[in-house]
Amino acid sequence: MTEEVRVRYAPSPTGFLHIGNARTAIFNYLFARHAGGKFVIRIEDTDQKRNVEGGEESQLKFLKWLGLEWDESVDIGGAFGPYRQMERLDIYKKYYQELLDKGFAYKCYCTPEELKEEREQQMAHGQTPGYSGKCRHLTPEQIAAFEAEGRKPTLRFRVPEDETIEFNDMVKGHVTFHSSDVSDFVIVKQNGVPTYNFAVVVDDHLMKMTHVLRGEEHISNTPKQIMLFHAFGWQEPTFAHMTLIVNENHKKLSKRDNSIVQFIEQYKNMGFLPEALFNFITLLGWSPKGEEEIFSRDEFIKLFDAERLSKSPAMFDKSKLEWMNGQYITKMPEDDYVAMTIPYLVNAGLLPQEMTDAQKDWARRVVLLYKEQLHYGAEIVQLSDMFFNKTILKTELTKDEEKILSGEQASDVLSAFNRELKALDSWTAEVIAPLIKVVQKETKQRGWKLYMPIRVVATGSQHGPELPEALELLGRDLVLKRMDAYLEKQQTV
RNA sequence: AGGGCGUUGGGCAAGUGGUUAAGCCAAUGGAUUCUCAUUCCAUGAUCGCGGGUUCAAUUCCCGUACGCCCUCCCA
């Protein structure tokens, strides 16, 4: 019988969910679901100083928003709880006591200051920084003396002298470390709380994790953890160290990096869709077999294969994300699209909070004009700008606009069109469109020379959606005012 | 400084001991269109560098450069 696959995403609540976190969570999730196994979320909150208020909540909230579901965690419980490390202190105690009793660990009375100085000395002499092992063989008298001083010890793991630690990484292949490159590391801090490297091992064992998929930055922690597994006589899980995600400068994405939008919440606020983000993030450091790039969550579950995790760093390509999100927006149901975009216009003060049915309908039509080209929700504000800018007569024209209006034909076209528009008793794209043809016949102008003058004067911009519909939505009043104002100015000049 | 890992066109990325070295994004050029957008077509890599193994290497081995990660009483 094969063991049930169990994997976990183990965030520390030191911040909100960012791209890197999300990627790790997604891969674990896909791996578990693909194998029909369990996906667990465990909160690693042993660094109380760095924990931030709301961090844990935010992690779960945005994971859920992205479409992940988990089988065990702080919020829904499970058979292997508690799932918050600070609630597992008693459990850890039993295990580190065991290591102490068996001589795998010892008490270290060095102060942080002493250690820091030691490190700096080593660096200054060009040596590899690392703990010297000073407290490895303390006599009972020395210990008593330290205790009498009121010093509180940390617990350090006694790293074996001359041992090769190796493992088969699902991504990197065979990886080897030598124990002499690892110095005795702290497993329990002065305050009695275990460190990450210790707690992970105990938890992963107790929670029966079969695989550990995590970021590559953990690869050098792995030998430490393996030594702990061995000290306990436990079988270590299979490791998979995923590529880092790097920014445009090829640096690891860090929470403090401002060159890139990091947090899932920010993407949500900008109007990125969870499906698109999920899709995009999954393609960071992993690739499917064929040529397709757009996949649903269920398709990913079916396809996911850890063999195809890539070894080299993935760069976060914002423009591709925008493209991908645009693909999802294009396929979105119209109602959803409208519901997503309108709030951005309201927030920008361009639309009233409370709208009449007519206003709603108008806004809907405006917004729908851009459905195919919108990359993300917030972009609607700039894209639809021409429907909210009520300037009658532009005073400053761009070079192109000047060129468009300077032609002799421009005024003819404009006055002819203006006259036709005024004769209209209704105002819809359907009745406006034929008028352009009428003007075409009358002035013998067509194409660029026909449309552009009208567009520039009536809409105030040389770019925009289909002219007749744009004019309809701009409204009769505004369009006529603009044309009149322009023509009048032409005459006075 | 030590250890680990990586290196395929601007970005992502597939792939193989002998191929025209996929595909996507971006860029540029072109076609269509009143413009933007859309759509379509086109354009670009001697696979970091040097050596070796081999009839043959981007693919295997060694070295080197560069990059990144770790070396914390952070995770």
Side-chain angles (χ1 to χ4, degrees):
Chain A
M1 184 193 118
T2 48
E3 228 179 343
E4 178 185 53
V5 165
R6 289 178 56 83
V7 294
R8 78 318 195 265
Y9 165 60
S12 64
T14 53
F16 305 128
L17 188 71
H18 64 98
I19 309 271
N21 294 144
R23 206 265 312 244
T24 304
I26 287 174
F27 284 1
N28 275 285
Y29 166 81
L30 291 175
F31 184 78
R33 286 290 177 269
H34 179 81
K38 294 282 190 282
F39 174 55
V40 177
I41 295 180
R42 179 176 73 221
I43 303 295
E44 310 214 324
D45 53 353
T46 53
D47 187 352
Q48 293 147 288
K49 271 170 263 160
R50 296 195 194 187
N51 290 344
V52 305
E53 185 90 18
E56 176 184 316
E57 236 188 323
S58 156
Q59 293 268 346
L60 296 185
K61 179 175 162 194
F62 289 101
L63 246 23
K64 203 166 277 178
W65 180 75
L66 280 173
L68 301 208
E69 301 152 336
W70 42 93
D71 303 297
E72 299 166 27
S73 181
V74 287
D75 57 342
I76 53 173
F80 300 88
Y83 292 92
R84 210 176 268 115
Q85 290 188 324
M86 286 308 284
E87 294 168 13
R88 300 173 63 80
L89 261 23
D90 289 343
I91 299 172
Y92 302 130
K93 189 168 184 182
K94 177 183 156 213
Y95 288 99
Y96 63 68
Q97 190 58 50
E98 183 185 333
L99 290 184
L100 207 49
D101 293 344
K102 290 186 177 167
F104 284 115
Y106 61 90
K107 291 179 179 176
C108 168
Y109 287 91
C110 299
T111 64
E113 293 73 33
E114 287 167 356
L115 293 171
K116 194 177 166 210
E117 193 178 331
E118 190 177 290
R119 253 197 310 276
E120 280 166 3
Q121 287 278 331
Q122 289 166 328
M123 297 280 258
H125 292 264
Q127 289 168 314
T128 306
Y131 179 63
S132 65
K134 237 197 287 188
C135 298
R136 257 191 174 209
H137 306 288
L138 255 27
T139 63
E141 291 74 31
Q142 287 171 303
I143 292 178
F146 281 132
E147 292 282 347
E149 270 181 57
R151 289 204 192 189
K152 284 214 177 109
T154 60
L155 249 45
R156 281 184 188 272
F157 182 73
R158 199 183 296 275
V159 171
E161 292 283 327
D162 183 32
E163 224 172 70
T164 300
I165 300 117
E166 44 197 329
F167 59 99
N168 270 313
D169 191 282
M170 285 200 282
V171 179
K172 308 287 184 184
H174 188 246
V175 181
T176 311
F177 287 88
H178 197 83
S179 65
S180 57
D181 295 317
V182 182
S183 58
D184 291 355
F185 55 94
V186 174
I187 57 174
V188 180
K189 302 180 240 183
Q190 221 170 35
N191 62 6
V193 178
T195 59
Y196 160 76
N197 280 122
F198 180 79
V200 172
V201 168
V202 171
D203 288 345
D204 283 342
H205 176 257
L206 260 24
M207 294 182 180
K208 294 194 161 34
M209 293 299 151
T210 56
H211 302 260
V212 170
L213 279 68
R214 71 213 324 186
E216 187 181 295
E217 71 267 27
H218 286 294
I219 207 159
S220 18
N221 284 322
T222 309
K224 297 180 186 171
Q225 294 167 18
I226 289 178
M227 289 188 278
L228 283 168
F229 276 108
H230 291 347
F232 282 118
W234 296 336
Q235 174 65 45
E236 71 266 24
T238 302
F239 294 98
H241 287 97
M242 304 177 295
T243 320
L244 262 11
I245 302 173
V246 296
N247 64 19
E248 276 101 344
N249 300 319
H250 300 278
K251 292 264 200 275
K252 174 186 163 190
L253 239 49
S254 101
K255 291 167 199 164
R256 289 161 290 282
D257 188 346
N258 293 323
S259 73
I260 204 167
V261 178
Q262 292 274 349
F263 297 101
I264 301 300
E265 180 169 16
Q266 293 172 294
Y267 284 100
K268 176 177 186 268
N269 292 343
M270 281 191 283
F272 282 87
L273 304 175
E275 298 82 7
L277 233 23
F278 189 109
N279 193 151
F280 178 74
I281 291 172
T282 306
L283 263 19
L284 247 29
W286 182 83
S287 64
K289 198 157 182 146
E291 295 177 357
E292 290 294 308
E293 301 258 359
I294 307 283
F295 294 102
S296 70
R297 199 183 55 169
D298 288 342
E299 286 169 327
F300 273 128
I301 289 174
K302 216 170 286 172
L303 286 170
F304 192 76
D305 174 3
E307 290 293 309
R308 298 187 65 84
L309 283 166
S310 98
K311 290 182 179 195
S312 47
M315 186 174 287
F316 188 89
D317 184 350
K318 190 181 162 223
S319 70
K320 189 158 179 176
L321 202 214
E322 290 186 356
W323 165 79
M324 191 170 279
N325 200 58
Q327 296 290 303
Y328 278 84
I329 287 177
T330 303
K331 286 186 275 181
M332 220 176 168
E334 285 192 356
D335 288 347
D336 294 351
Y337 169 80
V338 171
M340 178 195 71
T341 46
I342 299 283
Y344 290 101
L345 296 170
V346 173
N347 284 339
L350 300 174
L351 288 175
Q353 206 88 35
E354 300 294 330
M355 284 184 272
T356 63
D357 284 350
Q359 283 174 314
K360 276 186 197 162
D361 186 57
W362 178 81
R364 178 188 177 89
R365 292 187 58 191
V366 165
V367 137
L368 244 15
L369 251 20
Y370 299 97
K371 187 161 181 279
E372 280 195 8
Q373 59 180 293
L374 194 75
H375 292 112
Y376 54 95
E379 200 186 24
I380 193 67
V381 175
Q382 67 212 64
L383 274 182
S384 63
D385 173 67
M386 75 171 234
F387 289 102
F388 300 98
N389 186 337
K390 306 286 193 213
T391 307
I392 301 297
L393 197 58
K394 264 185 128 177
T395 49
E396 297 210 359
L397 296 178
T398 66
K399 261 203 183 129
D400 284 343
E401 288 167 348
E402 256 175 52
K403 193 174 152 207
I404 288 163
L405 295 176
S406 65
E408 179 123 336
Q409 94 293 355
S411 299
D412 297 345
V413 166
L414 286 166
S415 43
F417 189 56
N418 193 32
R419 197 177 59 242
E420 295 294 334
L421 284 180
K422 283 190 170 147
L424 234 38
D425 48 13
S426 65
W427 189 264
T428 64
E430 289 70 39
V431 301
I432 293 169
L435 294 190
I436 299 177
K437 300 287 174 198
V438 171
V439 173
Q440 177 179 356
K441 271 199 187 119
E442 192 182 323
T443 62
K444 306 245 172 8
Q445 300 295 338
R446 38 188 224 144
W448 187 85
K449 294 192 165 186
L450 170 67
Y451 279 82
M452 287 312 272
I454 300 176
R455 177 177 286 285
V456 169
V457 170
T459 74
S461 166
Q462 57 172 317
H463 303 304
E466 293 290 318
L467 195 50
E469 185 151 21
L471 295 181
E472 177 190 341
L473 292 171
L474 243 15
R476 174 180 198 131
D477 190 47
L478 182 62
V479 168
L480 290 180
K481 261 190 198 153
R482 279 174 171 166
M483 307 249 326
D484 284 341
Y486 178 80
L487 289 169
E488 200 172 309
K489 186 182 152 220
Q490 283 304 102
Q491 282 182 344
T492 58
V493 174

